[in-house]
Amino acid sequence: MLVYIYTAHIEDLTWERASLLYAAADKYATFSLKNVCSSYMKDNFSPSNACEVLLLSEFHADSDLKSAVQNYILKHLKEIINSDGWKPIQHLLLKP
């Protein structure tokens, strides 16, 4: 996060780093970094990480990310319902 703050650049972003940096950026109100991480997650949704993103977007009150991941979940519902992450979040899918 400090590298981004000083350089406004982030290298080798991975799914794990993006989700961790997203949470840190939200906590410390570094909105440009939060947007970079959110965009990365939106571009890299998969059935295995969609439930995690839904929880993350709910916890950080990010309606834009939440809407994007809800749409992804609806398009890939059969795959996601069979994933391990589905049960804890199924009630969030219908929540506005």
Side-chain angles (χ1 to χ4, degrees):
M1 184 169 168
L2 288 175
V3 171
Y4 181 82
I5 290 171
Y6 286 110
T7 67
H9 184 70
I10 191 159
E11 290 184 23
D12 303 323
L13 196 57
T14 63
W15 181 261
E16 184 178 353
R17 287 182 68 202
S19 61
L20 292 172
L21 284 171
Y22 174 89
D26 185 52
K27 180 177 181 176
Y28 295 106
T30 310
F31 300 114
S32 60
L33 177 58
K34 184 178 176 184
N35 290 336
V36 167
C37 295
S38 177
S39 292
Y40 179 88
M41 288 188 283
K42 288 177 190 175
D43 291 340
N44 292 284
F45 287 147
S46 72
S48 64
N49 66 28
C51 297
E52 175 188 347
V53 177
L54 185 58
L55 290 172
L56 194 64
S57 67
E58 180 73 15
F59 183 76
H60 293 280
D62 187 337
S63 60
D64 183 55
L65 182 58
K66 182 178 179 180
S67 177
V69 75
Q70 283 176 325
N71 289 335
Y72 179 87
I73 288 170
L74 289 173
K75 289 178 184 173
H76 299 90
L77 195 56
K78 285 184 181 182
E79 293 172 79
I80 293 170
I81 285 177
N82 294 322
S83 74
D84 292 335
W86 174 249
K87 285 187 180 183
I89 62 94
Q90 60 187 335
H91 68 281
L92 296 176
L93 186 61
L94 302 175
K95 189 177 178 181

